[in-house]
Amino acid sequence: MTSLPQKMPDKMPERMSGVILKGHGDLDQLEYRNDLALPDMGHHDVLIKVEAAGVNNTDINTRTAWYSKGDGDSDDASWSGQALQFPRIQGADVCGTIVAVGDSVEKDRIGQRVLIEPCIREAQGKTLETPWYFGSECNGGFAEYAVVSNRHAYKVTSTLKSHELASFPCSYSTAENMLTRARVQPYDRVLITGASGGVGSAAIQLAKARGASVIAITSPSKADEILEIGADQVLGRNVNYADALGANSVDVVIDLVAGDAFPSLLDVMKSGGRYAVAGAIGGPLVELDVRTLYLKDLSFFGCTVLEPKVFGNLVKLIEENKIKPLVAETYPLSEIATAQTSFEQKKHIGKIVLTVNADAKIAQ
């Protein structure tokens, strides 16, 4: 541990279990170990005993160097476009309990149950020029303990279990950020692609909480479950959207897919419509007729860095029970390869979560 002054419990282990990413590549680049050093903690940091951590597209995209725009070049294969430093502990979706704090942090934070905001604006006591992603530019939550700046550890009061709470941070904050950037209002008609995934299913709930009408795009086999989540209408992925909905009939598109369907998404948008994107599971290269963009006065929003109030608003919605967790499967951390394999098969709805410490509790 660091020699910086800090408020620590009397007994802390010298080593911890966790999963390291050794380099870009296949699942063999993930290694579960029991001899990792506890993370160093600075003056403005908190040490969190991780109870559960969710699996995300970002984990797989980072491991496989999907973010790189070069041919076989991994120098830009990270969330920030910078070369990743290995070994790296991934994991952005974290629920846990604060067990120690730096000497500039209030001692009464110890014992608080928290969710970590995955979009990191402060590290080592300094504001970052370019925000990091937890588990990408810094070590994350696929381990027994994690360190983060005090400002990014949000106290949460809830009777939900830890693996349920761990389903919220990344997917729901991404979805809420997209809705915020696209200025979704009551009575807006919102089209959501990739609706069965973690972000898509979160966006359904969050859009309905804003009073919007939701059209969800997913496979027909998942339609009934998507309707139960709150969608008003479900369309299959291969449907002609203009034929099914009518041209110029949608106020907002929340897109997580991109790919070949991109032009049809713009066809169904009204004049002055808003398009927000935070994923490209259908393919990152799309065909855009620029005339459609400017003649319809469309607004496009690329959504990565969270707006400042998004995560706090999300925690409030959780505490008010206005949104619910959607956990499809759970695995122990040591079975991360199995969990990621299941994740990539895309047969689930909601989130796949890794449980970390066996004594994960329900807060009272």
Side-chain angles (χ1 to χ4, degrees):
M1 296 293 292
T2 178
S3 59
L4 290 174
Q6 50 196 281
K7 303 174 181 72
M8 298 284 292
D10 293 334
K11 294 182 179 180
M12 288 292 294
E14 295 183 359
R15 298 288 170 179
M16 68 176 184
S17 298
V19 174
I20 61 168
L21 177 65
K22 297 181 291 185
H24 295 297
D26 210 336
L27 291 167
D28 59 358
Q29 293 300 312
L30 298 171
E31 182 180 353
Y32 181 79
R33 292 174 51 176
N34 297 304
D35 60 348
L36 301 177
L38 265 67
D40 287 344
M41 183 173 63
H43 292 286
H44 300 276
D45 295 337
V46 294
L47 179 67
I48 295 168
K49 186 175 184 180
V50 178
E51 295 164 2
V55 176
N56 289 292
N57 276 311
T58 298
D59 306 325
I60 287 88
N61 292 343
T62 299
R63 170 171 56 78
T64 60
W66 183 86
Y67 290 115
S68 175
K69 298 179 179 65
D71 185 11
D73 183 2
S74 61
D75 286 345
D76 63 344
S78 72
W79 189 74
S80 66
Q82 303 297 318
L84 210 64
Q85 299 298 310
F86 298 107
R88 174 66 73 218
I89 298 173
Q90 293 184 282
D93 270 320
V94 177
C95 174
T97 299
I98 295 176
V99 294
V101 297
D103 64 347
S104 295
V105 180
E106 299 85 351
K107 189 175 181 179
D108 61 7
R109 293 225 65 188
I110 295 175
Q112 289 182 3
R113 197 182 196 204
V114 296
L115 295 176
I116 293 179
E117 181 181 23
C119 182
I120 304 299
R121 296 176 180 271
E122 179 183 316
Q124 289 97 44
K126 298 179 180 179
T127 300
L128 301 169
E129 290 186 9
T130 302
W132 291 352
Y133 190 81
F134 197 61
S136 179
E137 286 66 42
C138 61
N139 284 334
F142 288 163
E144 289 184 285
Y145 294 90
V147 158
V148 73
S149 173
N150 178 54
R151 67 180 282 190
H152 292 301
Y154 281 70
K155 179 182 178 182
V156 59
T157 302
S158 173
T159 58
L160 291 173
K161 296 179 180 179
S162 296
H163 70 274
E164 294 173 318
L165 286 171
S167 70
F168 286 118
C170 183
S171 293
Y172 282 73
S173 65
T174 299
E176 179 66 10
N177 195 48
M178 295 174 79
L179 298 174
T180 299
R181 295 287 305 281
R183 306 185 305 279
V184 172
Q185 304 293 325
Y187 310 113
D188 273 344
R189 198 178 190 203
V190 179
L191 178 67
I192 300 172
T193 68
S196 64
V199 179
S201 57
I204 293 171
Q205 292 192 61
L206 292 164
K208 293 300 294 182
R210 289 172 177 246
S213 172
V214 172
I215 305 155
I217 308 299
T218 189
S219 62
S221 63
K222 298 175 181 177
D224 289 344
E225 292 172 273
I226 294 301
L227 288 169
E228 289 179 10
I229 292 170
D232 298 286
Q233 184 178 355
V234 176
L235 297 179
R237 297 188 182 109
N238 298 320
V239 170
N240 184 298
Y241 303 148
D243 289 345
L245 302 173
N248 308 312
S249 62
V250 171
D251 298 286
V252 176
V253 169
I254 301 297
D255 190 16
L256 303 159
V257 176
D260 294 339
F262 178 81
S264 63
L265 296 176
L266 305 193
D267 289 341
V268 299
M269 293 179 68
K270 294 179 180 178
S271 177
R274 291 94 73 197
Y275 169 91
V277 61
I281 58 176
L285 301 181
V286 300
E287 180 180 321
L288 169 63
D289 186 330
V290 175
R291 293 169 298 184
T292 303
L293 173 60
Y294 72 78
L295 290 174
K296 294 180 74 170
D297 287 296
L298 303 179
S299 296
F300 280 18
F301 301 94
C303 303
T304 294
V305 176
L306 299 184
E307 295 290 314
K309 295 183 179 180
V310 162
F311 204 77
N313 290 342
L314 174 61
V315 171
K316 184 178 179 181
L317 289 170
I318 294 169
E319 293 182 333
E320 293 175 349
N321 297 313
K322 291 184 177 179
I323 51 177
K324 63 181 182 179
L326 299 170
V327 178
E329 300 168 3
T330 61
Y331 298 85
L333 181 60
S334 59
E335 295 181 16
I336 187 172
T338 302
Q340 288 196 2
T341 298
S342 178
F343 182 91
E344 291 188 272
Q345 291 172 349
K346 303 296 181 186
K347 295 180 180 180
H348 63 287
I349 293 178
K351 295 285 292 189
I352 293 176
V353 178
L354 300 167
T355 55
V356 182
N357 284 289
D359 58 346
K361 62 181 180 300
I362 298 177
Q364 299 300 318

